[in-house]
Amino acid sequence: MPAIVVLAVVMGIFFLGWRYYSVYLSEKVYVLDDANVTPAHALSDGVDFVPTNKHVLFGHHFTSVAGAAPIVGPAIAVFWGWLPALAWVVLGTVFAAGVHDFGSLVVSVRNKAQNIGTLTRTVINPRSRTLFLCIIFFLLTLVNAVFAVVIGNLFVANPGAVIPIVVEIPLAIAIGQYIYKTRSSALVPSIVGVVLLYVLIPIGAANPIELDGFAEMFGIGPRTMWIILLFAYAFVASRIPVWVLLQPRDYINSHQLFIALGVIFLGLLVGLDRIAAPAINTAVPEGSPSFFPFLFVTVACGAISGFHSLVASGTTSKQLDKETDARHVGYLGALGEGSLALGAILATTAGITAVGLTWNEQYTDFGAASAGAVGNFVQGIAGFASHLGVPVEIGTVFAAVVVISFAATTMDTGVRLQRYIIQEIGEMVGTTADGQDRAGAAGGFKRATGNLTTVTALAVAVPLALALAPGGGDAGYAFGRLWTLFGTTNQLTAGLALSVIAVYVTRRGRNAMAQLIPLTFLLVMTVWALILNLVDFVREGDWVLAPLDLAILVLALWLVVEAFLGMRRARGEMASVDETVAR
């Protein structure tokens, strides 16, 4: 199959989804109205609440939600064949992610830009806030653990990427200082930063840095050493103001995201590569996870991601200039991440052939698919870049720098958010209903989580322990299982957001099927995958992942109950209104 045909068909479907389905959602389901004043205007403060041009806001939103996850998941999922992975990415993006991201933004804007956690309490019931905090705690723990493993593996496999990535930190700090002190636009400084970063790529390729000898001094492997160093860095990075490092590095990464997509699609057009993978892999080894249900939790970001609801309701809703811009920012942002997932599929099924790799050798079993997923993507990008005249060695380092940059930014944000969540849990546990501090251990936990150093240490220690636990982060099959657990928490977060949106829509007398269909599908696939994983973990005696899986399963079942009760209550309210009107 010519990869260019797949690219053209998928982009055509994405266009139809944008042209017709997003318009249906806008006019019939969410009923956008520019007469409604958005929080960006009503609560304008020049800091958080700032009316922003829809094109600029789309760029900020897209780069915030798109990271390494829509690369890793699809790169693993093509193990089952390119067609199932592609079908889920396309259908999930158009009918699930678009609905979810768009709806999360609209509901937040209609409720004074409240975040999804607060909305669960006000739209569904107060008890749902506890459910939200628990799901997000597990989501962030797994996000930080899996991306530390991803980055560690990439540094070991691509030591030429170390110098560009390390230098990017002071480079981003310098850009942040310049922007902060001069109050100037970030566009030109961030472009200069990208140019300098890419100048360092051939330097890094010529001077690879490996930690084998240093790690041996401590009796550990180089990957483990990288993971420890990454969390030490995250401990520091998550404590400093966002404008110092996180925001300026996001500016650099926003350009990298579009450059990477340009390399993928332009390289494909020039090279006219063919897909070397089977449409459906009929040679799956016995004992491998089946694509029902595991495909749908392996590919979360890139099809539908609950993390997007945190961004849409946390920052984007505070900057929306007018309601109709929500379609452009929310739905189009979902299509953008779907395009990145499409790029990952094409890179790992077509691009790798340009560097002499054989798909069948790279995807012999699920362990090989999981361990080599990111490496295959990197090689695929290098293959596409080679069609544009870039040497394979330089293209490989370029691709590794892009993925590591995305993953490191996700870790920075994840540890910072984890700190907020632990503090909120401490506040909830240590405070009585009348606002008084509890005595004993509950009050002590609240006081401890009020200390910046203590709470940051907790936010780092939990995912670090998971990443280093025996079997928890090992390359291969165990990493694949860890990734699917991350996917289940991501899908549960999406399910919670869809529940909020469905209840909101139902209470206004509109058809909520656009939310209920993906919600039901996600919950079925997630619970199914959790049960199958739990059985395997217990049978294998994996007492690291089994309790974690069980806890997430309990949260999934709790979410099923809350979603059902919320919808029943909303329909009951509508029935009461109809009866009153009839009288």
Side-chain angles (χ1 to χ4, degrees):
M1 169 71 74
I4 188 67
V5 173
V6 173
L7 174 62
V9 170
V10 172
M11 298 310 291
I13 295 173
F14 282 172
F15 172 76
L16 293 175
W18 163 252
R19 176 63 182 83
Y20 296 104
Y21 194 55
S22 70
V23 171
Y24 163 75
L25 294 172
S26 176
E27 296 179 353
K28 303 298 183 182
V29 180
Y30 301 134
V31 192
L32 302 184
D33 186 354
D34 285 341
N36 296 328
V37 179
T38 65
H41 291 281
L43 304 174
S44 179
D45 59 7
V47 179
D48 295 319
F49 293 85
V50 181
T52 305
N53 177 275
K54 67 179 181 180
H55 302 293
V56 175
L57 186 56
F58 164 78
H60 286 309
H61 177 79
F62 180 34
T63 53
S64 296
V65 300
I71 294 171
V72 181
I76 296 174
V78 294
F79 165 72
W80 291 292
W82 64 264
L83 186 57
L86 185 68
W88 172 228
V89 165
V90 172
L91 296 176
T93 296
V94 173
F95 296 107
V99 173
H100 168 274
D101 297 10
F102 188 5
S104 297
L105 180 55
V106 170
V107 176
S108 178
V109 166
R110 296 264 178 86
N111 287 272
K112 300 180 180 179
Q114 292 178 343
N115 63 52
I116 197 68
T118 303
L119 289 171
T120 57
R121 180 177 58 195
T122 56
V123 175
I124 299 180
N125 59 50
R127 185 175 58 242
S128 297
R129 175 172 175 250
T130 303
L131 174 61
F132 167 79
L133 291 175
C134 291
I135 291 176
I136 298 303
F137 176 82
F138 282 109
L139 170 63
L140 294 174
T141 297
L142 287 159
V143 163
N144 295 326
V146 297
F147 283 117
V149 173
V150 166
I151 298 172
N153 286 336
L154 280 171
F155 273 142
V156 171
N158 303 276
V162 175
I163 288 179
I165 290 296
V166 171
V167 175
E168 185 183 10
I169 296 172
L171 182 61
I173 292 174
I175 291 173
Q177 290 289 334
Y178 174 81
I179 294 172
Y180 180 75
K181 290 181 178 180
T182 63
R183 302 294 180 183
S184 60
S185 168
L187 179 61
V188 174
S190 59
I191 291 176
V192 172
V194 173
V195 172
L196 293 175
L197 178 65
Y198 288 170
V199 167
L200 290 169
I201 287 178
I203 296 175
N207 300 275
I209 295 178
E210 299 177 344
L211 296 184
D212 299 60
F214 181 63
E216 286 177 5
M217 295 170 56
F218 297 91
I220 57 178
R223 189 190 67 118
T224 300
M225 177 57 72
W226 276 120
I227 290 173
I228 293 172
L229 292 176
L230 284 166
F231 276 108
Y233 155 78
F235 177 84
V236 176
S238 66
R239 290 163 53 90
I240 60 179
V242 293
W243 64 266
V244 173
L245 174 60
L246 186 60
Q247 285 182 347
R249 194 162 70 178
D250 277 347
Y251 298 146
I252 294 175
N253 287 347
S254 66
H255 300 304
Q256 288 205 82
L257 175 59
F258 291 105
I259 291 171
L261 285 172
V263 169
I264 292 172
F265 297 142
L266 185 59
L268 180 61
L269 288 171
V270 173
L272 296 177
D273 300 278
R274 298 182 67 87
I275 294 179
I280 299 177
N281 188 3
T282 57
V284 173
E286 185 177 353
S288 300
S290 60
F291 81 81
F292 269 102
F294 288 103
L295 169 65
F296 307 100
V297 294
T298 299
V299 181
C301 300
I304 178 171
S305 167
F307 183 74
H308 294 198
S309 68
L310 305 182
V311 176
S313 65
T315 57
T316 307
S317 61
K318 296 177 175 63
Q319 302 172 62
L320 198 72
D321 183 34
K322 52 186 180 181
E323 275 199 0
T324 52
D325 290 351
R327 172 176 169 255
H328 183 90
V329 176
Y331 197 92
L332 198 59
L335 294 181
E337 181 159 280
S339 300
L340 183 58
L342 168 64
I345 292 172
L346 295 176
T348 52
T349 59
I352 58 172
T353 62
V355 293
L357 297 179
T358 303
W359 188 89
N360 290 331
E361 294 178 354
Q362 303 302 115
Y363 287 87
T364 54
D365 54 40
F366 188 71
S370 302
V374 180
N376 291 332
F377 174 79
V378 167
Q379 292 299 319
I381 296 297
F384 289 139
S386 69
H387 297 318
L388 305 176
V390 179
V392 171
E393 182 183 10
I394 300 300
T396 301
V397 176
F398 158 74
V401 167
V402 169
V403 178
I404 293 171
S405 296
F406 290 167
T409 299
T410 302
M411 270 195 71
D412 283 1
T413 304
V415 172
R416 189 180 295 269
L417 290 174
Q418 186 76 307
R419 190 182 81 219
Y420 298 155
I421 291 298
I422 294 174
Q423 287 176 319
E424 194 166 349
I425 291 173
E427 183 72 24
M428 181 180 67
V429 170
T431 306
T432 62
D434 57 1
Q436 301 299 313
D437 288 351
R438 296 184 188 274
F445 180 68
K446 177 183 177 181
R447 289 188 294 274
T449 55
N451 179 276
L452 180 60
T453 300
T454 302
V455 73
T456 306
L458 282 172
V460 166
V462 176
L464 173 61
L466 182 59
L468 298 181
D474 289 343
Y477 196 82
F479 175 73
R481 289 294 186 83
L482 190 61
W483 181 265
T484 58
L485 280 182
F486 154 67
T488 60
T489 57
N490 207 345
Q491 302 302 50
L492 287 182
T493 307
L496 189 59
L498 285 170
S499 299
V500 170
I501 301 166
V503 170
Y504 174 87
V505 169
T506 301
R507 282 179 174 168
R508 278 145 188 82
R510 301 174 202 141
N511 190 341
M513 293 305 294
Q515 293 78 32
L516 292 176
I517 292 175
L519 169 61
T520 303
F521 182 80
L522 281 182
L523 291 180
V524 170
M525 292 299 114
T526 301
V527 171
W528 186 2
L530 285 167
I531 292 173
L532 292 179
N533 264 343
L534 182 60
V535 172
D536 286 343
F537 293 151
V538 172
R539 184 173 58 244
E540 296 163 5
D542 189 338
W543 303 116
V544 174
L545 298 183
L548 183 59
D549 185 285
L550 179 60
I552 298 171
L553 176 59
V554 170
L555 294 176
L557 296 175
W558 184 3
L559 175 56
V560 171
V561 172
E562 295 295 354
F564 174 77
L565 293 177
M567 283 303 299
R568 188 174 69 173
R569 191 178 304 112
R571 285 172 173 165
E573 291 171 359
M574 284 306 303
S576 298
V577 170
D578 291 342
E579 185 178 348
T580 301
V581 172
R583 289 176 181 173

